[in-house]
Every structure is written in C-alpha cells, then in structure tokens.
Amino acid sequence: QVQLVESGGGLVQPGGSLRLSCAASGSSFNFVTMGWFRQAPGKERESVAVIDRIGSTAYRMSVKGRFTISGDFGKNTVYLQMNSLKVEDTAVYYCNAQRGMDFWGKGTLVTVSS
C-alpha cells in the first residue's frame, strides 16, 4: 500500500512563495514519475509539473519560470517551489506518483489572496 502525503500549503499574498513537499510511505516504490497536479474550484484537475527518474521535467505553460519541481526518487520525495504566485494559482495541489498506475495524495490547499 502506497501513501503520498503532501505538506506546505497555506495562504500567501500575490507575488509570494510557497514550497510544497510530498513524501511516499509504504512499500515497493520504484516510481517512474512523480509530480504535482492541482484542482481549482469548479475546474478539472490539471497537471502542474512532473519529474522522472533521470531528472527530466515538464511544466504547464502558465507556471513555467515561476515553479520548480525537484525530487529524490531514492527517498521517494518530490517538491514544488512556487514563486511569484498569482491569484489564479489558488487550488488544491495533489502529489502524484506513477508506477504502472497512479497514486495520489489527499491534497494540500494553496490560497493566493491579498
């Protein structure tokens, strides 16, 4: 049984920064990719950033240059550094890991508001 636990969400003003963390627990990891998704109220869940075992990364266009994903597949952890946050970044952020199937965390709320 794999569990992903996110932390680091909260309330921040526009232009501020937050760092999200995700740690996996359980057994039999060997994830192929780890990443972050988000879901804003009334919207579909969308991919934000993903990283693979060799360190290749991909970002959705709206966060490029502001967000940075990093990960340690040996420790089964993934991080998302979010800078220059905008109101439209407000969402529940979910950690994702893939290994033949998707594993999801329960999410952490990020609210960007003045």
Side-chain angles (χ1 to χ4, degrees):
Q1 185 78 11
V2 174
Q3 288 187 320
L4 303 177
V5 179
E6 304 97 337
S7 61
L11 173 65
V12 63
Q13 292 186 337
S17 298
L18 282 175
R19 185 174 188 251
L20 304 183
S21 300
C22 173
S25 62
S27 62
S28 302
F29 298 121
N30 297 316
F31 298 129
V32 176
T33 66
M34 297 188 75
W36 293 92
F37 286 65
R38 68 185 181 188
Q39 187 167 18
K43 294 189 177 181
E44 298 286 323
R45 189 175 296 190
E46 61 187 20
S47 176
V48 176
V50 64
I51 186 168
D52 67 14
R53 298 187 68 87
I54 62 172
S56 297
T57 59
Y59 298 89
R60 74 178 302 104
M61 187 64 68
S62 62
V63 308
K64 277 186 178 180
R66 300 188 297 121
F67 291 9
T68 303
I69 189 170
S70 60
D72 185 336
F73 282 77
K75 296 181 179 180
N76 300 296
T77 55
V78 65
Y79 307 95
L80 186 67
Q81 178 66 43
M82 305 185 294
N83 298 328
S84 302
L85 282 160
K86 303 177 180 180
V87 171
E88 51 264 41
D89 295 317
T90 295
V92 177
Y93 284 70
Y94 296 91
C95 179
N96 169 270
Q98 295 185 348
R99 186 195 70 218
M101 60 181 290
D102 282 303
F103 299 94
W104 295 96
K106 293 183 178 180
T108 185
L109 177 62
V110 172
T111 303
V112 185
S113 175
S114 55

